[in-house]
Amino acid sequence: MLRENYATWLVGSRELSLARPRIMGILDVTPEAFPDGKGGVDTKAATERGLEMLDEGADIIDVGAASVLPGHGALTSSKPLSSNEEAERVVPVIRALVAEGAILSVNTCHPDVAKMCVRLGAAIVNDATGFTSPDMVQVAADTDCGCVIMHWEHAGLGSRAPRREVLLDDSRPTRSPAPRPMASQHRFTLPDEAPIMRQVMGFLGDQARTLMRAGVAHDRICLDPGAGFDKFPDEDVVIQRATRSMASMGYPLLAAVSRRRFVGAVIGAGQAGETDPATHGVCISSIQNGARILRVHDVAGTARAVNAFWAVSHKDSRQGFVALGSNVGDRLANITRAVQMIDDIPLTCVVSVSHAYETEPAYGIETPVADAVAEIRTELHPLVLMGQLLDVEDALGRERNPEQAGNGPRTIDCDLAWVEGETHAGRRLTLPHPGLGERDFVLVPMEDLMHDPVRFLRHAGVDVVDPDDRVGHVMADLGEIVWE
């Protein structure tokens, strides 16, 4: 039976909620992808692409340095890299993206590279050889990284798996003496599922147990059936159709189908970029059958497809808090109108609103601010909701001047401060909001909405500072916001 409670995936110091699908953006740090003009890798360009993927909707960035190219019916390494060469490519990018707060996965088969990157802050080790190396198992045991076990037995699934056969009854009493046309005894378009899935699921289960025997917690392990790696397109389709069975093994399941040969085969396209829309379709099928992590190249397109599918197919309402501030014009009217507009956002409603408070200027703003906090429920992806909040700011005349501290005076400022079960890093949105624990002008209004916001936020992993050390202290209660 398909497991419905996907709980969390423990990756380093993070607990990644799998209550909704998560996107793992592929960042191939190779000279072909990011040339520096000298035959090496442009680290700055690679890092910038990683940050772009976070803003496009990636929850995890999978950083790898070894190119993979289509082989005859499989994917094989174009040129094996030494651990030193691989480290020279990935370490600077890992270091830069960790500094931005991203959840990083290192895609490597070298135990020394994996160990180095985890020490630098990578949260996940994605091992294409499925932790068959005792040294890689030891890396997992010695750290708290999440572990992606991929099925790739280099002998593959063997020669092409046999199709099921039907033997026709030729014992008729009379037959025409005329020669009969030759006919195949094959009557099925795909190989038999049973032997393929015994091998794939058997390998994944064995390796998961190997990790657990070494001391790796069950909730740190994720399974990947290894689409395209020493598998024919027919076999990959069989494996994809068995996603529900793999999900029932009880581990988070990763779908790494992006630009694989079988995706092109089912739509008749050969170029990698041409298969991205088909990849979206396969990803949605994987989600519907229990996969919760999608490893893809086209992050923006996948995020749009998945967000649309999830919104119309799953009831997934989350609690959230939006901090509202105004220091221009009729401040209370600005906050009131903002609350009304937030309540009109699709798949979102305002549950309650705190009083408005007069607060000390902070972050370079020169005049006192009227601040409030709205508690919401939303079924939108946080990045989608953030876009809607920016539209509210624009509609109310918010002007942003990068030359001024705090981007200058604001008619209204809508900060998405916290969303249930969500963490995110990026330039467009960071969750929980990086200043949440130090803002008196948010923490005090939240006391109107719940009994003990400090305890609540600390339980959610937010570092809340003592009242005397906060910024933007509350000076006066400006009264209720009447918005309904």
Coordinates of all heavy atoms in Angstrom, one line a residue, residues 368-436:
P368 N 9.3 56.9 11.9 CA 8.6 55.8 12.6 C 7.7 55.1 11.6 O 7.2 55.6 10.6 CB 7.8 56.5 13.7 CG 8.6 57.7 14.0 CD 9.1 58.2 12.6
V369 N 7.5 53.8 11.9 CA 6.7 52.9 11.0 C 5.5 52.4 11.7 O 5.6 52.1 12.9 CB 7.6 51.7 10.5 CG1 6.9 50.9 9.5 CG2 8.9 52.3 9.8
A370 N 4.4 52.2 11.0 CA 3.3 51.5 11.5 C 3.4 50.0 11.0 O 3.5 49.8 9.8 CB 2.0 52.1 11.0
D371 N 3.4 49.1 12.0 CA 3.6 47.7 11.7 C 2.5 46.8 12.2 O 1.9 47.1 13.2 CB 4.9 47.2 12.3 CG 6.2 47.7 11.5 OD1 6.4 47.3 10.4 OD2 6.9 48.6 12.1
A372 N 2.2 45.8 11.5 CA 1.2 44.8 11.9 C 1.6 43.4 11.3 O 2.5 43.4 10.4 CB -0.2 45.2 11.4
V373 N 1.0 42.4 11.8 CA 1.3 41.0 11.2 C -0.1 40.4 10.9 O -1.0 40.4 11.7 CB 2.0 40.1 12.2 CG1 2.1 38.7 11.7 CG2 3.4 40.7 12.4
A374 N -0.2 39.8 9.7 CA -1.4 39.1 9.3 C -1.1 37.6 9.3 O -0.1 37.1 8.8 CB -1.8 39.5 7.9
E375 N -2.0 36.8 10.0 CA -1.9 35.3 9.9 C -2.7 34.9 8.7 O -3.9 35.3 8.5 CB -2.4 34.7 11.2 CG -2.4 33.2 11.1 CD -3.0 32.5 12.4 OE1 -3.4 33.3 13.3 OE2 -3.1 31.3 12.4
I376 N -2.1 34.0 7.9 CA -2.8 33.6 6.7 C -2.8 32.1 6.6 O -2.2 31.4 7.4 CB -2.1 34.1 5.4 CG1 -0.7 33.6 5.3 CG2 -2.1 35.7 5.4 CD1 0.0 33.8 4.0
R377 N -3.7 31.6 5.7 CA -3.6 30.2 5.3 C -3.5 30.2 3.8 O -4.2 31.0 3.1 CB -4.9 29.4 5.6 CG -5.2 29.3 7.1 CD -4.3 28.5 7.9 NE -4.3 27.1 7.5 CZ -3.7 26.1 8.1 NH1 -2.9 26.4 9.1 NH2 -3.8 24.8 7.7
T378 N -2.6 29.4 3.2 CA -2.4 29.5 1.8 C -2.1 28.1 1.3 O -1.5 27.2 2.0 CB -1.2 30.4 1.4 OG1 -1.1 30.5 0.0 CG2 0.1 30.0 2.0
E379 N -2.5 27.9 0.0 CA -2.1 26.6 -0.7 C -1.2 26.9 -1.8 O -0.9 26.0 -2.6 CB -3.4 26.0 -1.2 CG -4.4 25.5 -0.1 CD -5.5 24.6 -0.6 OE1 -5.2 23.9 -1.6 OE2 -6.6 24.7 -0.1
L380 N -0.7 28.1 -1.9 CA 0.3 28.5 -2.9 C 1.7 28.1 -2.5 O 2.1 28.2 -1.3 CB 0.2 30.0 -3.2 CG -1.1 30.5 -3.8 CD1 -1.0 32.0 -4.0 CD2 -1.4 29.8 -5.2
H381 N 2.6 27.8 -3.5 CA 4.0 27.7 -3.2 C 4.5 29.0 -2.7 O 4.1 30.1 -3.2 CB 4.7 27.3 -4.5 CG 6.1 27.0 -4.4 ND1 7.1 27.9 -4.2 CD2 6.8 25.8 -4.4 CE1 8.3 27.4 -4.0 NE2 8.1 26.1 -4.2
P382 N 5.4 29.0 -1.7 CA 5.9 30.3 -1.2 C 6.4 31.3 -2.2 O 6.2 32.5 -2.0 CB 7.0 29.8 -0.2 CG 6.6 28.4 0.2 CD 6.0 27.8 -1.0
L383 N 7.1 30.8 -3.2 CA 7.6 31.7 -4.2 C 6.5 32.3 -5.0 O 6.5 33.5 -5.4 CB 8.6 31.0 -5.2 CG 10.0 30.8 -4.6 CD1 10.8 29.9 -5.5 CD2 10.8 32.2 -4.5
V384 N 5.4 31.6 -5.3 CA 4.3 32.1 -6.0 C 3.6 33.1 -5.1 O 3.2 34.2 -5.5 CB 3.3 31.0 -6.3 CG1 2.0 31.5 -7.0 CG2 4.0 30.0 -7.3
L385 N 3.4 32.8 -3.8 CA 2.8 33.8 -2.9 C 3.6 35.0 -2.8 O 3.1 36.1 -2.7 CB 2.7 33.1 -1.5 CG 2.1 34.0 -0.4 CD1 0.7 34.5 -0.8 CD2 2.0 33.2 0.9
M386 N 5.0 34.9 -2.7 CA 5.8 36.1 -2.7 C 5.6 37.0 -3.9 O 5.5 38.2 -3.7 CB 7.3 35.6 -2.6 CG 8.3 36.8 -2.3 SD 8.1 37.4 -0.6 CE 7.7 39.1 -1.0
G387 N 5.4 36.4 -5.0 CA 5.1 37.2 -6.2 C 3.8 37.9 -6.1 O 3.7 39.1 -6.5
Q388 N 2.8 37.3 -5.5 CA 1.5 38.0 -5.3 C 1.7 39.1 -4.3 O 1.0 40.2 -4.4 CB 0.5 36.9 -4.8 CG 0.2 35.8 -5.7 CD -0.8 36.2 -6.8 OE1 -1.2 37.4 -6.9 NE2 -1.3 35.3 -7.6
L389 N 2.5 38.9 -3.2 CA 2.7 40.0 -2.3 C 3.4 41.2 -2.9 O 3.1 42.4 -2.6 CB 3.5 39.5 -1.1 CG 2.8 38.4 -0.2 CD1 3.7 37.9 0.9 CD2 1.5 39.0 0.4
L390 N 4.4 40.9 -3.8 CA 5.0 42.0 -4.5 C 4.0 42.8 -5.4 O 4.1 44.0 -5.5 CB 6.2 41.5 -5.3 CG 7.4 40.9 -4.5 CD1 8.4 40.3 -5.5 CD2 8.0 42.0 -3.7
D391 N 3.1 42.1 -5.9 CA 2.0 42.7 -6.7 C 1.2 43.6 -5.8 O 0.7 44.7 -6.3 CB 1.1 41.7 -7.4 CG 1.8 41.0 -8.5 OD1 2.9 41.5 -9.0 OD2 1.4 39.9 -9.0
V392 N 0.9 43.2 -4.6 CA 0.2 44.1 -3.7 C 0.9 45.3 -3.4 O 0.4 46.5 -3.4 CB -0.1 43.3 -2.3 CG1 -0.7 44.3 -1.3 CG2 -1.1 42.2 -2.6
E393 N 2.2 45.2 -3.2 CA 3.1 46.4 -2.9 C 3.0 47.3 -4.1 O 2.9 48.6 -4.0 CB 4.5 46.0 -2.7 CG 4.7 45.2 -1.4 CD 6.2 44.9 -1.1 OE1 7.0 45.2 -2.0 OE2 6.5 44.4 0.0
D394 N 3.1 46.8 -5.3 CA 3.1 47.6 -6.5 C 1.8 48.3 -6.7 O 1.7 49.5 -7.1 CB 3.4 46.8 -7.8 CG 4.9 46.3 -7.8 OD1 5.7 46.9 -7.1 OD2 5.1 45.3 -8.5
A395 N 0.7 47.6 -6.4 CA -0.6 48.1 -6.6 C -0.9 49.3 -5.6 O -1.6 50.2 -5.9 CB -1.7 47.1 -6.4
L396 N -0.2 49.3 -4.5 CA -0.4 50.4 -3.5 C 0.7 51.4 -3.6 O 0.9 52.3 -2.7 CB -0.4 49.8 -2.1 CG -1.6 48.9 -1.7 CD1 -1.5 48.3 -0.3 CD2 -2.9 49.6 -1.9
G397 N 1.5 51.4 -4.7 CA 2.4 52.5 -5.0 C 3.8 52.4 -4.3 O 4.5 53.4 -4.2
R398 N 4.2 51.2 -3.9 CA 5.5 51.0 -3.4 C 6.6 51.3 -4.4 O 6.6 50.8 -5.5 CB 5.7 49.5 -2.9 CG 7.1 49.1 -2.5 CD 7.5 49.7 -1.2 NE 8.9 49.4 -0.9 CZ 9.4 48.4 -0.2 NH1 8.5 47.5 0.2 NH2 10.7 48.2 0.0
E399 N 7.5 52.2 -4.0 CA 8.6 52.5 -4.8 C 9.9 52.0 -4.2 O 10.1 52.2 -2.9 CB 8.7 54.0 -5.1 CG 7.5 54.6 -5.9 CD 7.7 56.1 -6.1 OE1 8.7 56.6 -5.8 OE2 6.7 56.7 -6.7
R400 N 10.8 51.4 -4.9 CA 12.0 50.9 -4.4 C 13.2 51.6 -5.0 O 13.4 51.7 -6.2 CB 12.1 49.4 -4.7 CG 11.0 48.6 -4.1 CD 11.0 47.1 -4.6 NE 9.9 46.3 -4.1 CZ 8.7 46.3 -4.6 NH1 8.5 47.1 -5.7 NH2 7.7 45.6 -4.1
N401 N 14.1 52.1 -4.1 CA 15.3 52.8 -4.5 C 16.5 52.1 -3.9 O 16.8 52.2 -2.7 CB 15.2 54.2 -4.1 CG 16.4 55.0 -4.6 OD1 17.4 54.5 -5.2 ND2 16.4 56.3 -4.4
P402 N 17.2 51.3 -4.8 CA 18.3 50.5 -4.3 C 19.4 51.4 -3.7 O 20.2 50.9 -2.9 CB 18.8 49.8 -5.5 CG 17.7 49.8 -6.5 CD 16.9 51.0 -6.2
E403 N 19.4 52.7 -4.0 CA 20.4 53.6 -3.5 C 20.2 54.0 -2.0 O 21.1 54.5 -1.3 CB 20.5 54.8 -4.3 CG 20.8 54.6 -5.8 CD 22.1 53.9 -6.0 OE1 23.1 54.2 -5.3 OE2 22.2 53.0 -6.9
Q404 N 18.9 53.8 -1.5 CA 18.6 54.2 -0.2 C 18.5 53.0 0.7 O 18.2 51.9 0.3 CB 17.2 54.9 -0.2 CG 17.2 56.3 -0.9 CD 15.8 56.9 -0.8 OE1 15.0 56.7 -1.6 NE2 15.7 57.7 0.3
A405 N 18.9 53.2 2.0 CA 18.8 52.2 3.0 C 17.4 51.7 3.1 O 16.5 52.5 3.2 CB 19.3 52.7 4.3
G406 N 17.3 50.4 3.2 CA 15.9 49.8 3.3 C 15.1 50.0 2.0 O 13.9 49.9 2.1
N407 N 15.7 50.4 0.9 CA 15.0 50.7 -0.3 C 14.1 51.9 -0.2 O 13.2 52.1 -1.0 CB 14.2 49.5 -0.9 CG 15.1 48.5 -1.4 OD1 16.2 48.7 -1.9 ND2 14.7 47.2 -1.4
G408 N 14.4 52.8 0.8 CA 13.7 54.0 1.0 C 12.3 53.9 1.6 O 11.9 52.8 2.1
P409 N 11.5 55.0 1.7 CA 10.2 55.0 2.3 C 9.3 54.1 1.6 O 9.5 53.9 0.3 CB 9.8 56.5 2.2 CG 11.0 57.3 2.0 CD 12.0 56.4 1.3
R410 N 8.3 53.5 2.2 CA 7.4 52.6 1.6 C 6.0 52.8 1.9 O 5.6 53.0 3.1 CB 7.8 51.2 1.8 CG 7.7 50.6 3.2 CD 8.8 51.0 4.2 NE 10.1 50.7 3.7 CZ 10.7 49.6 3.8 NH1 10.1 48.6 4.4 NH2 11.9 49.4 3.4
T411 N 5.1 52.9 0.9 CA 3.7 52.9 1.2 C 3.3 51.7 1.9 O 2.5 51.8 2.9 CB 2.9 53.0 -0.2 OG1 3.4 54.0 -1.0 CG2 1.4 53.2 0.1
I412 N 3.7 50.6 1.5 CA 3.5 49.3 2.2 C 4.7 48.4 1.9 O 5.3 48.4 0.8 CB 2.2 48.6 1.7 CG1 1.7 47.5 2.6 CG2 2.3 48.2 0.3 CD1 1.3 47.9 4.0
D413 N 5.0 47.6 2.9 CA 6.0 46.6 2.8 C 5.4 45.3 3.2 O 4.9 45.2 4.4 CB 7.2 46.9 3.7 CG 8.4 45.9 3.5 OD1 8.5 45.4 2.4 OD2 9.1 45.7 4.5
C414 N 5.4 44.2 2.4 CA 4.8 42.9 2.7 C 5.9 41.9 2.7 O 6.5 41.5 1.7 CB 3.8 42.5 1.7 SG 2.4 43.7 1.5
D415 N 6.3 41.5 3.9 CA 7.4 40.5 4.1 C 6.7 39.1 4.5 O 6.0 39.0 5.5 CB 8.4 40.9 5.2 CG 9.3 41.9 4.7 OD1 9.5 42.0 3.5 OD2 9.9 42.6 5.6
L416 N 7.0 38.1 3.6 CA 6.6 36.8 4.0 C 7.6 36.3 5.0 O 8.7 36.0 4.7 CB 6.5 35.9 2.8 CG 6.0 34.5 2.9 CD1 4.6 34.5 3.5 CD2 6.0 33.7 1.6
A417 N 7.1 36.2 6.3 CA 8.0 35.9 7.4 C 8.2 34.5 7.7 O 9.3 34.0 8.0 CB 7.5 36.7 8.7
W418 N 7.1 33.7 7.6 CA 7.2 32.3 8.0 C 6.0 31.5 7.3 O 4.9 32.1 7.2 CB 7.1 32.2 9.5 CG 7.2 30.8 10.0 CD1 8.4 30.1 10.4 CD2 6.1 29.9 10.3 NE1 8.1 28.9 10.9 CE2 6.7 28.7 10.8 CE3 4.8 29.9 10.2 CZ2 6.0 27.6 11.2 CZ3 4.0 28.8 10.5 CH2 4.6 27.6 11.0
V419 N 6.3 30.3 6.8 CA 5.3 29.4 6.3 C 5.5 28.0 6.9 O 6.6 27.6 6.9 CB 5.3 29.4 4.7 CG1 4.3 28.4 4.2 CG2 5.1 30.8 4.1
E420 N 4.4 27.4 7.3 CA 4.5 26.1 7.9 C 5.2 25.1 7.0 O 4.9 24.9 5.9 CB 3.1 25.7 8.2 CG 2.9 24.3 8.8 CD 1.5 23.9 8.9 OE1 0.6 24.7 8.6 OE2 1.2 22.7 9.2
G421 N 6.2 24.5 7.6 CA 6.9 23.4 6.9 C 7.8 23.8 5.8 O 8.3 23.0 5.0
E422 N 8.1 25.1 5.7 CA 8.9 25.6 4.6 C 10.2 26.3 5.0 O 10.2 27.1 5.9 CB 8.1 26.6 3.7 CG 6.9 26.0 3.1 CD 7.2 25.0 2.0 OE1 8.3 25.1 1.5 OE2 6.3 24.2 1.7
T423 N 11.3 25.9 4.4 CA 12.5 26.6 4.5 C 13.0 26.9 3.0 O 12.8 26.0 2.2 CB 13.6 25.8 5.2 OG1 13.9 24.6 4.5 CG2 13.2 25.6 6.6
H424 N 13.6 28.0 2.8 CA 14.0 28.3 1.4 C 15.2 29.3 1.5 O 15.2 30.2 2.4 CB 12.9 28.8 0.6 CG 13.3 29.0 -0.9 ND1 13.3 27.9 -1.7 CD2 13.6 30.1 -1.6 CE1 13.6 28.3 -2.9 NE2 13.9 29.6 -2.9
A425 N 16.1 29.2 0.6 CA 17.2 30.2 0.5 C 17.2 30.8 -0.9 O 16.9 30.1 -1.9 CB 18.5 29.5 0.8
G426 N 17.4 32.0 -1.0 CA 17.4 32.7 -2.3 C 17.4 34.2 -2.2 O 17.2 34.7 -1.1
R427 N 17.7 34.8 -3.3 CA 17.7 36.3 -3.2 C 16.3 36.9 -3.3 O 16.1 37.9 -2.7 CB 18.5 36.8 -4.5 CG 20.0 36.5 -4.4 CD 20.7 36.9 -5.7 NE 20.2 36.1 -6.8 CZ 20.8 36.0 -8.0 NH1 21.9 36.7 -8.2 NH2 20.3 35.3 -9.0
R428 N 15.4 36.2 -3.9 CA 14.0 36.6 -4.0 C 13.3 36.3 -2.7 O 12.4 37.1 -2.3 CB 13.4 35.9 -5.2 CG 12.0 36.5 -5.5 CD 11.6 36.1 -6.9 NE 10.2 36.5 -7.2 CZ 9.2 35.8 -7.4 NH1 9.3 34.5 -7.4 NH2 8.0 36.3 -7.7
L429 N 13.5 35.2 -2.1 CA 12.8 34.8 -0.9 C 13.7 33.9 0.0 O 14.3 33.0 -0.5 CB 11.5 34.0 -1.2 CG 10.8 33.4 -0.1 CD1 10.2 34.5 0.8 CD2 9.7 32.5 -0.6
T430 N 13.7 34.2 1.3 CA 14.4 33.4 2.3 C 13.3 33.1 3.4 O 12.7 34.0 3.9 CB 15.6 34.0 2.9 OG1 16.6 34.3 1.8 CG2 16.3 33.1 3.9
L431 N 13.2 31.8 3.7 CA 12.2 31.4 4.7 C 12.9 30.4 5.7 O 13.7 29.5 5.3 CB 11.0 30.6 4.1 CG 9.9 31.5 3.5 CD1 8.9 30.6 2.8 CD2 9.3 32.4 4.5
P432 N 12.7 30.6 7.0 CA 12.0 31.8 7.6 C 12.8 33.1 7.3 O 13.9 33.1 6.9 CB 12.0 31.5 9.1 CG 12.2 30.0 9.2 CD 13.1 29.7 8.0
H433 N 12.1 34.2 7.3 CA 12.7 35.5 7.0 C 14.0 35.7 7.9 O 14.0 35.4 9.1 CB 11.7 36.6 7.3 CG 12.2 38.0 6.7 ND1 13.2 38.7 7.3 CD2 11.7 38.7 5.6 CE1 13.4 39.8 6.6 NE2 12.5 39.8 5.6
P434 N 15.1 36.1 7.2 CA 16.4 36.1 8.0 C 16.4 37.1 9.1 O 17.2 36.9 10.1 CB 17.4 36.5 6.9 CG 16.6 37.1 5.8 CD 15.3 36.4 5.8
G435 N 15.5 38.1 9.1 CA 15.5 39.0 10.3 C 14.4 38.8 11.3 O 14.2 39.5 12.2
L436 N 13.6 37.7 11.1 CA 12.5 37.4 11.9 C 12.8 37.4 13.4 O 12.0 38.0 14.2 CB 11.8 36.1 11.5 CG 10.6 35.6 12.3 CD1 9.5 36.7 12.2 CD2 10.1 34.3 11.7

